[in-house]
Amino acid sequence: HAKKLGKGQFQFYTESLNVEARDRLALDSALRRAVEQDELYVVYQPKVDANGRPFGFEALVRWDSAEFGSVSPVRFIPLAEENGLIGQVTWFVLREACHQAAAWRAAGNPKLRVAVNISPSLFREKDLAALVMSVLEEAGLPPENLELEITEGMLMGDVQRALAVLDELKAMGVYIAVDDFGTGYSSLAYLKRFPIDILKVDRSFVIECDCGNEGLAITRAVVSLAHSLNLRVVAEGVEKQTQLAVLNALGCQEFQGYLFAKPMPAAALEAYLANPTIAG
Ligand code: C2E
Ligand code: MG
Ligand code: MG
Ligand code: MG
């Protein structure tokens, strides 16, 4: 009996793997078409200062698939990383974001900065800095208006290579933020060597920072690390006044989260900028 059960389980297992593989394949080809057929678009989430005033926006990609409905970037970005579409997806987001920021400048907001997420495989791309430069030129956007968000893991693999890429971007005048900070395994010694401007405290810690447990300890540690390295620090995923109060007390002065604003389509930005909700 046990043997039979074991065999059945094995069959069930391979079958579910097949279903998963088939789903992935379908999603994969849908994403290929999406890139060509304008199913992707970009939304913008404000980053605000202690007075609730926006100083920049993070560009976040969205996919409304004719076949699958709206698919989260948490699902399709890793897929794009694997199937080689990440380059096209990122250039789309980067181009949109840079044109958008150029429009903000033209409308009288010269300092607003747009942040774009750069994923690991692109970071290994030889000409990243040159490609970024060509998009900036095409959009007519000064490099100071662009911020690139990378993750800790990207710094730790090939350190020499990461240093070379970041030095090149930094020399251009682009800002560098380390996203989801605290979830990786950065060595402090390394962190100091990289030309980084900003640390973004991961949402998983911010969520818990008002509960007095580990989240608070890690948030405090990241904020003081940022201050001692002379970096700016942004708390991401701030949803509650109680979290904001703790962050303020810790000396964190830049925030991103639903408490202030959700990501919004480009068309909604003008109204938001004219009247951002002042929190705190
Ligand atoms: P991320 O870069 O850490 O972006 C922040 C995510 O947190 C966004 O989710 C944002 O909508 C969400 N968020 C912000 N504030 C709050 C809050 O108060 N509460 C909650 N519950 N969530 C909040 P989103 O847009 O679903 O993106 C998820 C991840 O997908 C991003 O995490 C990023 O890693 C990746 N991603 C999104 N767009 C792109 C892109 O254009 N390129 C690349 N490479 N990755 C992207
Ligand atoms: Mg990000
Ligand atoms: Mg983040
Ligand atoms: Mg995150």
Side-chain angles (χ1 to χ4, degrees):
H1 181 71
K3 204 174 168 188
K4 205 173 161 195
L5 185 67
K7 196 178 164 203
Q9 277 174 345
F10 179 70
Q11 271 173 357
F12 175 73
Y13 184 62
T14 47
E15 216 168 83
S16 75
L17 272 185
N18 283 338
V19 169
E20 215 172 88
R22 219 188 310 129
D23 274 359
R24 273 186 65 103
L25 215 62
L27 200 62
D28 188 292
S29 53
L31 184 58
R32 257 168 231 290
R33 288 192 303 273
V35 171
E36 287 148 19
Q37 292 173 0
D38 295 334
E39 287 181 352
L40 300 181
Y41 61 101
V42 179
V43 292
Y44 299 87
Q45 185 177 33
K47 298 183 190 184
V48 305
D49 66 16
N51 297 314
R53 292 197 185 85
F55 58 87
F57 293 86
E58 178 171 7
L60 295 159
V61 69
R62 293 291 177 265
W63 177 20
D64 284 349
S65 161
E67 199 174 335
F68 293 94
S70 116
V71 187
S72 164
V74 174
R75 181 137 186 243
F76 75 82
I77 291 292
L79 183 65
E81 279 266 320
E82 282 172 36
N83 67 16
L85 288 173
I86 191 66
Q88 285 179 68
V89 172
T90 305
W91 301 127
F92 169 77
V93 176
L94 188 64
R95 210 168 275 133
E96 288 284 314
C98 288
H99 278 100
Q100 202 57 59
W104 301 335
R105 279 181 65 84
N109 300 289
K111 292 221 168 119
L112 283 180
R113 202 183 287 161
V114 76
V116 174
N117 293 284
I118 298 294
S119 55
S121 68
L122 268 184
F123 195 66
R124 290 192 291 268
E125 185 92 19
K126 230 185 20 261
D127 309 318
L128 181 65
L131 284 164
V132 169
M133 196 51 164
S134 70
V135 174
L136 285 168
E137 276 167 3
E138 176 201 299
L141 186 71
E144 295 76 25
N145 288 93
L146 177 65
E147 184 172 301
L148 298 178
E149 297 193 0
I150 61 171
T151 52
E152 286 178 272
M154 288 151 74
L155 301 176
M156 295 307 128
D158 185 342
V159 173
Q160 287 312 317
R161 169 120 199 80
L163 254 180
V165 175
L166 290 180
D167 280 340
E168 215 180 333
L169 289 165
K170 204 56 226 161
M172 280 164 51
V174 168
Y175 287 85
I176 309 292
V178 182
D179 204 356
D180 304 339
F181 193 80
T183 58
Y185 303 91
S186 316
S187 127
L188 297 190
Y190 279 165
L191 204 58
K192 223 181 125 187
R193 287 170 57 190
F194 291 105
I196 291 162
D197 305 289
I198 299 140
L199 297 183
K200 295 187 76 178
V201 190
D202 190 61
R203 184 164 68 88
S204 60
F205 308 122
V206 172
I207 285 173
E208 290 192 339
C209 78
D210 59 345
C211 304
N213 51 20
E214 232 176 38
L216 172 62
I218 294 173
T219 305
R220 179 188 283 126
V222 174
V223 173
S224 76
L225 173 66
H227 286 160
S228 63
L229 291 178
N230 255 323
L231 305 176
R232 286 169 35 211
V233 59
V234 180
E236 64 177 10
V238 185
E239 293 183 357
K240 301 195 292 187
Q241 285 291 348
T242 47
Q243 294 161 352
L244 180 61
V246 169
L247 291 163
N248 269 318
L250 294 178
C252 177
Q253 294 180 320
E254 299 182 3
F255 317 96
Q256 183 179 350
Y258 296 169
L259 179 63
F260 300 95
K262 290 194 170 177
M264 58 188 94
L269 287 170
E270 202 185 326
Y272 169 78
L273 283 170
N275 187 19
T277 320
I278 308 293

